[in-house]
Amino acid sequence: MFKTANNEQVTQRTLRQSITYVGIGLHNGKNVSMTVHPAEAGSGIHFLRKDVPMGEGLIPARWYNVVDTSLSTAIGNEYGFRVDTVEHLMAALSGCGVDNALIELDGPEVPIMDGSSHPFVSMIERIGTVDQDSPRHAIWIQRPIEVRDGDKYAILMPSDMPRITVEIDFEHEAIGTQILSVEMINEAFHHQVSRARTFGFAHQIEALRKQGLARGGSLRNAILVDGDRIINEEGLRFNDEFVRHKILDAFGDLALAGVPIMAHYYGRKPGHELNSKLMTQMFEDRSSWSYTTVNDFEALVGTQGPHSEEVRTNFEKSADGRS
Ligand SMILES: [Zn+2]
């Protein structure tokens, strides 16, 4: 996500060239063609709907544009146009250190691909990214920020490393209780998180389809759980693929802050709605964080310490379940 080598200026990055993805939308079930273009330093990530009247399709990928979090994260603009299921692509861009991009699509939903961020990441890695002549900024959390909803909660805590910990607890025996903590630096996102797929439950499929949702969902782009069984013939990509996907979702939702958040995110049974509330809370509670550059953050908290090596070894051990 960002470099930690000594004295190296951490600059913003964009793609070396445009990348086109074609696929089906998870919820609307329609084919969409999406091209991710390089963009100028300081511009951030924007979506642009090409299938709506000219001048009405631009949607900045920012927390204040979130319009729906019922199953995935959707952002929208003042003309009523929206883009659904942005989180897996946002996670991929953030994980690959892409700060600036313009994403054109000819439909209302980001293609679901295989249900993870991996297809996005692998193309970005193949095409490559370029450094831009501008420092990368970050939000540095200095006091905890917390949102709760019953037994669910999400907290941003001060930390010398960006880290995401998620705890899930499902009645379905195939999932059960899972907890995982990942330090989001270097290529941790690629190796530990990006391949984890979204998941759904057999008993909910019919109800979702009646609401016009999950129309594009299939065993090609989601794990289907039925009680204690995984329906997909190929099985899981990680023993704890479910909690890894929740980390992926949280990382994608946090990317809507517009810059990386230097904090430890701890989520218990988190979802897109809770993550969106957390972003709102963070921006309202302006005294709990400062806006800095990644370089200044690293210089001030002393990111190069032995601590990070120890933590890295621990979570590499925790990745043993990888298939
Ligand atoms: Zn997801």
Side-chain angles (χ1 to χ4, degrees):
M1 176 178 153
F2 64 100
K3 293 169 189 154
T4 54
N6 289 310
N7 304 322
E8 202 172 332
Q9 170 75 19
V10 179
T11 64
Q12 293 181 28
R13 281 199 264 164
T14 191
L15 295 165
R16 193 172 294 281
Q17 60 189 67
S18 303
I19 304 174
T20 297
Y21 300 92
V22 177
I24 195 171
L26 176 63
H27 294 304
N28 66 23
K30 294 194 177 123
N31 264 311
V32 58
S33 171
M34 176 178 86
T35 302
V36 187
H37 298 285
E40 278 177 27
S43 64
I45 311 283
H46 289 78
F47 285 84
L48 179 60
R49 290 270 304 267
K50 300 294 282 182
D51 57 327
V52 304
M54 191 116 92
E56 298 183 9
L58 191 69
I59 311 172
R62 301 296 299 277
W63 59 280
Y64 50 78
N65 287 328
V66 170
V67 291
D68 193 351
T69 53
S70 46
L71 284 169
S72 60
T73 299
I75 54 173
N77 65 16
E78 69 270 39
Y79 302 103
F81 294 114
R82 54 189 260 174
V83 176
D84 275 47
T85 319
V86 299
E87 62 274 16
H88 303 167
L89 175 63
M90 291 304 295
L93 292 168
S94 184
C96 293
V98 175
D99 302 280
N100 305 299
L102 176 66
I103 303 152
E104 289 186 342
L105 342 82
D106 65 0
E109 191 170 356
V110 172
I112 190 66
M113 312 305 286
D114 72 348
S116 79
S117 293
H118 181 67
F120 300 130
V121 169
S122 62
M123 280 294 280
I124 296 169
E125 290 294 291
R126 195 175 313 161
I127 296 296
T129 57
V130 288
D131 284 340
Q132 295 179 290
D133 193 18
S134 201
R136 174 174 297 161
H137 286 87
I139 286 172
W140 176 14
I141 300 291
Q142 281 148 345
R143 275 198 293 274
I145 292 156
E146 181 179 331
V147 288
R148 281 181 182 271
D149 175 13
D151 63 343
K152 307 171 184 176
Y153 56 79
I155 312 173
L156 290 168
M157 293 176 278
S159 170
D160 61 356
M161 281 283 177
R163 166 183 285 277
I164 298 184
T165 304
V166 169
E167 208 185 312
I168 56 173
D169 182 11
F170 282 89
E171 280 176 11
H172 306 77
E173 291 159 50
I175 306 178
T177 302
Q178 301 184 353
I179 179 164
L180 185 70
S181 189
V182 177
E183 198 174 45
M184 306 301 283
I185 58 161
N186 300 324
E187 304 232 308
F189 176 76
H190 300 48
H191 301 308
Q192 317 260 332
V193 178
S194 75
R195 292 172 61 244
R197 292 163 294 171
T198 190
F199 53 95
F201 301 98
H203 71 275
Q204 288 176 349
I205 296 281
E206 200 53 35
L208 288 173
R209 296 228 160 123
K210 275 187 189 144
Q211 295 172 52
L213 297 163
R215 282 183 177 156
S218 76
L219 295 172
R220 286 189 298 278
N221 54 38
I223 307 167
L224 188 61
V225 180
D226 189 5
D228 61 349
R229 288 193 313 140
I230 306 292
I231 305 296
N232 307 56
E233 271 177 23
E234 75 281 9
L236 297 176
R237 293 177 177 179
F238 303 88
N239 292 338
D240 56 355
E241 189 167 353
F242 305 98
V243 73
R244 286 172 196 263
H245 188 79
K246 288 291 188 181
I247 291 176
L248 190 163
D249 279 341
F251 190 55
D253 287 340
L254 296 185
L256 293 173
V259 294
I261 300 173
M262 299 302 166
H264 179 184
Y265 166 100
Y266 193 107
R268 174 169 159 76
K269 299 184 170 187
H272 300 301
E273 190 183 350
L274 205 61
N275 293 336
S276 174
K277 284 182 179 159
L278 184 65
M279 287 296 88
T280 304
Q281 176 80 11
M282 181 181 82
F283 281 98
E284 278 172 4
D285 190 358
R286 185 63 188 83
S287 64
S288 291
W289 52 273
S290 53
Y291 189 69
T292 180
T293 65
V294 170
N295 274 93
D296 286 348
F297 168 79
E298 291 185 350
L300 289 162
V301 300
T303 294
Q304 320 299 331
H307 162 73
S308 57
E309 195 53 49
E310 177 199 321
V311 172
R312 198 168 302 127
T313 314
N314 283 343
F315 77 67
E316 273 163 13
K317 274 189 215 144
S318 77
D320 283 349
R322 240 192 306 162
S323 53

